[in-house]
């Protein structure tokens, strides 16, 4: 047991060193990566459960690193969180997402929205409001078609400042969704104070709900509560028809997941749309 403890300590220590080194490396690489066009967005459809109509796309960040290959956002976003690089990268994501929405509109996809993920650090940046308003104007896109996805973490950062920014953006027409609902700090009391339009049930509950009573109860009561509060509810991570049927019977509004489509690389999506339009 003693040996084991020693090993654990060493592993932990090495891991920590690696994480620190990784962070430094990532931060220096990000700026260059933006300039060199290593980032791109993949778009995943969000579908209305009753009509089957396309509601919009969620923009998901991809980093095609020259040496490491495709790096998952789960790997680099937590590392960059609270750094100025995340703000800069976040601006890139916002501008590019709005540009893609404009291109989608031009390709004939009108009346759809784009969902943009915002990290907690980004939301306390005083420049965010202006940037969003300016970019929507610059691309001639209706702010009503822009859904900003926040996590429960953002909502506890600086609640007064967050609320103020949310209300200002809401007045300009932007919408808000709470992402990964149920996995973070329980902030049910915030729900009634905040101008939120939509709640996203995390995929961990959706993937477990047909086998696990607790997950099922969480999904059912979240849908009921959200609807009673007059908001919309999206289930993420829907992978099969049985899950879809259950969500439909519970009157979930929107669904997103591999059952409909994996996130589609922006260039692939745009190529497909172009050939469709020119046909
Ligand atoms: P998220 O916002 O909860 O996004 C959903 C994740 O689930 C995405 O992973 C998506 O590819 C994946 N997914 C979608 N449908 C299914 C399904 O049916 N089954 C399974 N197993 N997974 C599914 P991805 O693209 O790797 O992104 C991971 C996380 O990285 C996101 O989780 C989000 O928190 C963060 N992220 C991605 N792009 C951005 C961004 O531009 N800004 C910020 N701040 N965070 C981002
Ligand atoms: Ca999201
Ligand atoms: Ca909207
Ligand atoms: Ca999630």
């Amino acid at each position: 047991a003693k040996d084991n403890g020693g090993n654990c300590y060493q592993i932990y220590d090495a891991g920590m060193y690696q994480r620190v080194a990784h962070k430094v490396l990532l931060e220096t690489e990000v700026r260059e990566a933006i300039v060199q066009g290593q980032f791109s967005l993949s778009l995943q459809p969000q579908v209305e459960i009753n009509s089957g109509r396309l509601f919009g796309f969620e923009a998901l960040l991809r980093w095609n690193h020259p040496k490491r290959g495709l790096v998952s956002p789960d790997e680099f976003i937590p590392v960059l969180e609270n750094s100025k690089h995340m703000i800069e990268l976040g601006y890139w994501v916002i501008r590019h997402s709005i540009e893609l929405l404009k291109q989608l509109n031009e390709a004939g996809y009108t009346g759809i929205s784009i969902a943009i993920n915002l990290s907690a650090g980004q939301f306390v940046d005083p420049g965010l409001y202006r940037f969003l308003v300016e970019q929507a104007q610059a691309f001639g896109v209706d702010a009503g078609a822009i859904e900003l996805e926040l996590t429960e973490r953002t909502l506890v950062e600086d609640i007064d400042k967050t609320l103020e920014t949310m209300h200002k953006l809401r007045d300009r027409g932007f919408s808000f969704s709470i992402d990964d609902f149920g996995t973070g700090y329980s902030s049910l009391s915030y729900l009634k104070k905040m101008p939120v339009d939509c709640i996203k049930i995390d995929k961990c509950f959706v993937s477990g709900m047909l086998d696990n009573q607790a997950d099922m109860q969480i999904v059912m009561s979240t849908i009921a509560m959200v609807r009673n509060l007059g908001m919309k509810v999206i289930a993420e991570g829907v992978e099969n028809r049985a899950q879809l049927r259950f969500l439909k019977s519970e009157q979930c509004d929107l669904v997103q997941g591999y059952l409909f489509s994996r996130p589609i690389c922006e260039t692939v999506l745009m190529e497909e749309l172009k050939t469709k339009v020119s046909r």
Side-chain angles (χ1 to χ4, degrees), residues 7-273:
N7 278 341
C8 279
Y9 181 74
Q10 273 203 325
I11 288 163
Y12 172 74
D13 203 28
M16 194 174 72
Y17 178 76
Q18 228 173 20
R19 277 195 298 279
V20 172
H22 190 51
K23 185 175 170 79
V24 173
L25 203 63
L26 269 169
E27 286 189 356
T28 55
E29 283 171 314
V30 165
R31 162 156 256 145
E32 213 181 291
I34 294 178
V35 175
Q36 295 185 348
Q38 292 168 15
F39 288 106
S40 66
L41 295 173
S42 278
L43 300 177
Q44 189 178 36
Q46 302 180 320
V47 177
E48 278 174 8
I49 209 164
N50 281 326
S51 63
R53 191 187 82 95
L54 177 68
F55 175 79
F57 290 98
E58 177 176 2
L60 293 157
L61 188 59
R62 297 290 177 262
W63 185 357
N64 196 350
H65 192 282
K67 290 201 194 76
R68 290 185 231 175
L70 213 58
V71 189
S72 156
D74 276 334
E75 221 177 296
F76 63 89
I77 287 176
V79 180
L80 294 177
E81 187 57 281
N82 296 323
S83 76
K84 63 178 195 298
H85 301 282
M86 188 62 231
I87 307 276
E88 194 178 346
L89 183 55
Y91 280 162
W92 183 87
V93 169
I94 291 168
R95 188 180 334 102
H96 198 53
S97 298
I98 296 176
E99 184 182 9
L100 286 175
L101 178 61
K102 167 136 189 109
Q103 290 173 1
L104 287 165
N105 287 340
E106 285 171 351
Y109 279 74
T110 52
I112 60 163
S113 61
I114 191 98
I116 304 174
N117 290 284
L118 298 180
S119 65
Q122 260 182 291
F123 211 76
V124 291
D125 161 33
L128 179 71
Y129 168 78
R130 231 188 117 105
F131 189 80
L132 277 164
V133 172
E134 279 174 0
Q135 293 301 315
Q137 268 167 1
F139 286 104
V141 159
D142 179 15
I146 300 172
E147 307 272 324
L148 303 171
E149 295 197 359
L150 311 179
T151 62
E152 293 172 55
R153 253 200 72 200
T154 312
L155 310 176
V156 293
E157 199 94 327
D158 177 350
I159 188 69
D160 291 332
K161 191 85 195 59
T162 300
L163 271 174
E164 189 193 318
T165 308
M166 286 177 84
H167 280 290
K168 274 167 66 184
L169 285 166
R170 193 16 138 49
D171 289 345
R172 287 290 192 140
F174 293 89
S175 318
F176 291 98
S177 304
I178 305 297
D179 208 352
D180 301 344
F181 187 76
T183 62
Y185 307 78
S186 258
S187 49
L188 290 182
S189 67
Y190 295 146
L191 274 185
K192 62 176 188 193
K193 283 195 242 164
M194 284 179 318
V196 169
D197 309 85
C198 183
I199 297 291
K200 297 188 80 172
I201 301 180
D202 193 72
K203 60 177 177 293
C204 71
F205 302 114
V206 175
S207 68
M209 72 187 177
L210 296 184
D211 311 306
N212 180 295
Q213 262 302 316
D215 286 339
M216 181 181 271
Q217 290 304 326
I218 290 168
V219 169
M220 287 167 67
S221 48
T222 301
I223 294 173
M225 177 190 71
V226 171
R227 288 182 63 92
N228 286 333
L229 288 169
M231 304 174 198
K232 276 187 313 221
V233 55
I234 303 189
E236 54 171 40
V238 179
E239 293 184 353
N240 60 54
R241 304 220 152 262
Q243 290 166 344
L244 179 65
R245 259 196 309 276
F246 179 75
L247 291 164
K248 202 167 181 173
S249 72
E250 291 302 311
Q251 294 183 288
C252 182
D253 301 290
L254 297 154
V255 276
Q256 188 179 344
Y258 295 168
L259 177 63
F260 304 93
S261 170
R262 291 194 175 244
I264 311 162
C265 165
E266 53 172 293
T267 48
V268 172
L269 183 69
M270 291 308 165
E271 277 309 312
E272 272 175 19
L273 294 183

